[in-house]
Amino acid sequence: MAGGNQVDLVADKQVDELLRNVDAMRPFVRYRMRGRPNDVDVVLQSVRETVWHRCEAFDPSRGTPNAFVFGITRNVVRRELCKHFQELDELPEDLESSDTPDPLATLVRRFDAHRWMSLVADFVGASDWAVITEMALSDGDTERVAARHQLTTRGLRTIRDRVSLTAHTVRAALAAVDANLPLTGSVILHCVPERGGLREVAEMIGDDADAIAATLHIHSGSARARIATAKRLLGIARTVIQQEMAA
């Protein structure tokens, strides 16, 4: 009995933490719903209700409460905007000048950056992410980073490329969701970067390595490596889109 009560307390604390994070979404919602200030509280209430109903789907091992709530908020806002979308024939006269920095826009960019960076970190793993983070803070001193992590120059480049490709795929998948695109093979395919012929390989993913190697005029070993990378990126794109659509 006592054990059951303890589990309930943990669950209640988790729900409270998720709901507290809804209030932190207000600047983001205000920015996205600009021109419709009366709808901000309505949207936030919808976010609270969605978080309440989906709280059991939150997995602390896959991300923070803030990231979970932000994903839900993005989707609630997107659906609300789609319901009231009106095409404009011309720009409104009171449109703010882009020369003036918008603090809300800056905050939204930070929210977006936090979201995609959290996803990338989850996909590449703590070790690779630690290396990339240190590289970003070292002003390009790759030798020091390589020495600290006992990596060769080639190994460091491999990690950087892996994280870069993952980041491209994650951001493309999030953009597809924001654009309200359906979960189709074509949408997933276009999340894969063209760099290194990876998208072309992804299009031929059903062919064997020798056939792909012949088509791309590369060695079979290189073809197999690109096939593995393309499959990984396709899986990442599908996972991100499915998670965001379900939020």
Side-chain angles (χ1 to χ4, degrees):
M1 188 71 175
N5 290 337
Q6 187 173 5
V7 171
D8 290 341
L9 286 173
V10 172
D12 288 343
K13 287 182 179 179
Q14 182 170 287
V15 172
D16 289 343
E17 177 68 16
L18 291 171
L19 291 175
R20 276 197 298 271
N21 273 275
V22 174
D23 292 330
M25 301 297 125
R26 180 174 291 274
F28 172 76
V29 175
R30 283 176 55 199
Y31 173 75
R32 292 300 305 274
M33 304 299 293
R34 55 192 181 279
R36 295 168 53 188
N38 294 334
D39 290 339
V40 172
D41 286 328
V42 175
V43 169
L44 285 171
Q45 182 57 30
S46 180
V47 172
R48 289 188 188 93
E49 293 172 0
T50 306
V51 169
W52 174 265
H53 290 299
R54 299 202 65 249
C55 60
E56 292 183 356
F58 172 64
D59 182 355
S61 67
R62 299 179 65 180
T64 64
N66 183 273
F68 179 81
V69 173
F70 182 55
I72 290 176
T73 304
R74 281 163 54 107
N75 287 332
V76 171
V77 169
R78 187 182 71 251
R79 287 193 291 267
E80 184 66 23
L81 291 175
C82 286
K83 286 194 299 185
H84 297 278
F85 177 79
Q86 291 182 339
E87 186 174 353
L88 298 177
D89 294 328
E90 57 185 16
L91 292 175
E93 295 180 358
D94 60 348
L95 186 67
E96 294 184 6
S97 170
S98 59
D99 296 333
T100 304
D102 185 347
L104 283 178
T106 301
L107 188 59
V108 169
R109 284 195 295 271
R110 289 181 180 177
F111 269 119
D112 283 334
H114 178 270
R115 179 59 175 152
W116 71 257
M117 289 173 73
S118 296
L119 287 168
V120 172
D122 287 342
F123 283 120
V124 301
S127 178
D128 282 6
W129 189 249
V131 171
I132 289 300
T133 301
E134 191 167 335
M135 286 180 64
L137 299 174
S138 66
D139 293 327
D141 189 355
T142 56
E143 291 184 1
R144 182 171 65 84
V145 176
R148 176 179 173 82
H149 292 272
Q150 298 182 328
L151 293 167
T152 63
T153 301
R154 181 176 181 179
L156 194 63
R157 185 169 59 249
T158 298
I159 291 175
R160 183 175 57 192
D161 289 346
R162 181 162 54 240
V163 174
S164 176
L165 292 170
T166 302
H168 177 107
T169 303
V170 167
R171 298 185 71 178
L174 290 174
V177 174
D178 284 344
N180 210 28
L181 298 179
L183 180 60
T184 64
S186 177
V187 170
I188 293 172
L189 177 66
H190 281 81
C191 293
V192 176
E194 295 181 337
R195 190 195 326 168
L198 285 172
R199 187 178 298 173
E200 190 174 2
V201 171
E203 291 175 341
M204 300 183 290
I205 208 70
D207 298 342
D208 60 41
D210 291 335
I212 292 177
T215 301
L216 299 181
H217 306 290
I218 58 177
H219 190 272
S220 295
S222 296
R224 282 190 288 272
R226 295 188 194 185
I227 290 170
T229 300
K231 285 183 176 179
R232 181 176 66 85
L233 297 177
L234 287 169
I236 288 172
R238 177 180 291 276
T239 298
V240 171
I241 294 174
Q242 287 178 332
Q243 287 179 350
E244 290 292 312
M245 285 183 168

